[in-house]
Amino acid sequence: MSETGSSMGMRRALVPIGIRARPAALYRIPVTLMLLGLFMMALQAGQPLLGLTMLMTAAITTLGFAWRGAGRSGSAVLSLRDEGDARLVDGRYREARALYERSLALAERELPPAAPELLVNYYSLAAVNSMLHDHARAGRYLEELLRGLDDRVPAPWAGHVAWLMRRVAHHCSRQGDHARAQQLCRRALDLVGDAPGADDNTVRSLLDDLAWVEHHAGHYAEAEVLFREGLSVHEQFRDMVLEQAQRPRRRPGQGRSPYREPGPATASTSGGLDRAVAYSLLGLGWTIYERGRYDEARVCFERARMIAMRLAVAPLEPVGDGLWIEVLRGQAAVAVTLGEYEQAQALYGEADQRSVDADEAVQRAALLVDMGWLARCQRRYDDAEALGRAALEALGRAREGAAAVASALHESLAELRRRQGKIREGQRHVREAQELAGRCLGSDHPRMAGILSVAARLHAARSETVEAERTARLSLTVLEASLGADHPRMSDAHLALGEALLARGRLGAAERSLGLALELRQRAVGAEHPELVEILEAQVAVLRASCREDEAQAVLERAVQLSERLLSGPDGTSGSTSGSADGMLAHHEHPA
């Protein structure tokens, strides 16, 4: 949202409010002793009526001072809160935060720690800081709120606190604190209960949040279970809504919806095939894709595309370009993985047209990284380099949540430099990718294993054979622990290990590792995939080093056929690329 807060508002928000000295209040004196003393003096003077009158006057005066003091402090706290709420509604978040902080300072000075006015201020400050993308402060105020509630959230507050937990959990997940994000999502699930609906505080939405947290953490099996559970909950309550809508009414009156009331800044939907389900299908599709089941992932992306098309013609709920871009990215990723480059080019082209005017810099950068991946697979290295520069520019405009995309970009650029023979530049990019991935993903994330594979091949290209073998084996260990020994991505690690072992002269071990790489990749993408060429070339080098020229020639001919299929254009003519099959054949016939 747009924000019109001034710099003076920001300075007021950050300047602490000083505590002014106040005169002593009469009600803080031992009032009982004073009144009793006056009454006894009047009795000794023989004027009991005068003593009683003095007693009542002093009591009423004391109560009046106490009431005025409490009313004055309470009215100031409420007044500042009302002003902050008005600024919040107008989108002036910084001014609202300043007013909320002043209200909180007064409440902390005048009221007990668990007073409702104090807790409401904690919630308001957590919400407005989250809207200002100051998630660290939002998390601190959320902790203060839960501490003030003694971790027992009352039912009327449950939906609002769950909404706030979702926002903080999303930030924690992006920062790599997956354990904290999981804890917040599960706590929000406990608060919401078992009655789901279509707004932000539903069980299905929270299950989706938790599934995305598991996905970002690399726990793809757990993420798949949660995505499927969320979709099944949605389908269950969609059927309930349809049944109630079709049931004839016996008396006038409004039927009770099974959905909860919307949370803050949300709008409820009517259930069915809506935007939230489309994003759930996208999450499920990406999770299945990461698990190496590409045909199933394609089905999920196609279902999400059908929903996007339905929403595009719906007059009440138009779909934005963001959903379309994500659907097209998912479909294109499957096409690239399976070697269907022409289809991927068309899908990425449509997504590129939709994202040119979009405000999401991170989404734009992710799309450019994917397009650079396709260009690299097609050996259009100049185009891949230009797309990488554009992605770096897009990431420079991003405010937050860009670390994972930046890590993928540097990994892609490192592999591009390796293929171009610019090894030093590739190692610089791979170090940057490792640092970013370690910060936002973790050292045991499957994406880290991909970076290690590229690093191992760069070490082998520089004849750093010991480090190349160590890095490749580490990549194998991470992948096997997270995805399993039969995952298609294991082929990258086996290829890196085979090249390292070949450089060290251990030909038998290198041949076994390259054989495993070829078997895993063929099983996943087929025997005619262009990305088999790099494995076949490594096998040719091993066979020739073993003086098995006849076998090497047969493998080389297969590699040449796959390269020619890649280099030929749609009309069967040769396309413009950085290399050629004839050049590859000449290189292997006359090795350096």
Side-chain angles (χ1 to χ4, degrees), residues 142-143 146 151 161-162 165-166 168-170 172-173 177-191 206 209-210 213-214:
L142 176 61
E143 291 295 333
L146 294 176
D151 286 331
V161 176
M165 286 179 172
R166 290 186 64 194
V168 177
H170 179 67
C172 291
S173 178
D177 192 357
H178 305 300
R180 175 63 174 159
Q182 291 167 2
Q183 178 188 3
L184 288 171
C185 285
R186 294 192 183 279
R187 180 65 191 280
L189 272 173
D190 294 338
L191 291 178
L206 287 167
D209 289 347
L210 187 56
V213 170
E214 298 286 2

Side-chain angles (χ1 to χ4, degrees), residues 53-76:
T53 302
M54 294 174 62
L55 178 72
M56 296 301 297
T57 303
I60 292 172
T61 304
T62 302
L63 291 174
F65 274 109
W67 179 264
R68 288 178 60 190
R72 184 166 54 251
S73 62
S75 62

Side-chain angles (χ1 to χ4, degrees), residues 26-100:
L26 292 178
Y27 59 89
R28 294 183 178 176
I29 302 174
V31 179
T32 305
L33 295 177
M34 178 192 71
L35 296 178
L36 287 175
L38 291 173
F39 186 61
M40 294 300 295
M41 290 170 62
L43 287 177
Q44 291 176 0
Q47 297 179 345
L49 293 177
L50 179 61
L52 182 61
T53 302
M54 294 174 62
L55 178 72
M56 296 301 297
T57 303
I60 292 172
T61 304
T62 302
L63 291 174
F65 274 109
W67 179 264
R68 288 178 60 190
R72 184 166 54 251
S73 62
S75 62
V77 170
L78 294 177
S79 176
L80 289 171
R81 271 195 50 76
D82 290 341
E83 292 183 31
D85 291 341
R87 301 293 193 280
L88 186 67
V89 171
D90 294 337
R92 298 155 67 180
Y93 298 141
R94 297 190 187 280
E95 296 181 23
R97 180 169 65 178
L99 292 167
Y100 287 145

